[in-house]
Amino acid sequence: MRIRQVKEVEIEGLGERIKQARLNSTKSLEQICEEVEVSRTYWYDIEKETLKGALSVENLRKIEEVLGVDFGVSLKGDSND
């Protein structure tokens, strides 16, 4: 039997931190989006913090991996804890 737990947390300024990490990266926006598997529009919504829903922890971890950074976001039960 599977049980699903959904938890959302607000991380102030995360979009700007992601943007700065992108700007400091040697990768192009197109390359980053391809590796993270998101569209440019979705990426800009992440940076501007205007997503209609929440950023999934899976996408956050992909972003961290592709950009080579750790944003220090820890959620109980996350595989990075």
Side-chain angles (χ1 to χ4, degrees):
M1 176 186 305
R2 298 184 312 170
I3 300 172
R4 179 184 309 239
Q5 179 182 20
V6 177
K7 178 180 180 178
E8 291 186 16
V9 295
E10 183 71 28
I11 308 293
E12 290 294 325
L14 182 59
E16 182 62 29
R17 291 170 54 205
I18 290 171
K19 179 179 179 178
Q20 289 305 313
R22 173 181 61 83
L23 293 174
N24 291 331
S25 173
T26 59
K27 298 179 181 185
S28 69
L29 176 60
E30 291 77 17
Q31 185 179 8
I32 292 168
C33 289
E34 184 177 313
E35 291 181 35
V36 177
E37 300 177 330
V38 298
S39 69
R40 288 174 59 126
T41 301
Y42 189 80
W43 183 270
Y44 284 128
D45 286 343
I46 292 169
E47 289 186 351
K48 294 184 291 185
E49 298 187 19
T50 57
L51 290 176
K52 295 200 188 305
L55 177 65
S56 71
V57 70
E58 292 83 6
N59 278 344
L60 175 62
R61 298 306 178 217
K62 284 183 190 178
I63 291 168
E64 288 178 326
E65 182 179 337
V66 168
L67 295 177
V69 296
D70 180 354
F71 293 111
V73 176
S74 178
L75 301 171
K76 186 174 182 178
D78 182 11
S79 61
N80 283 11
D81 281 348

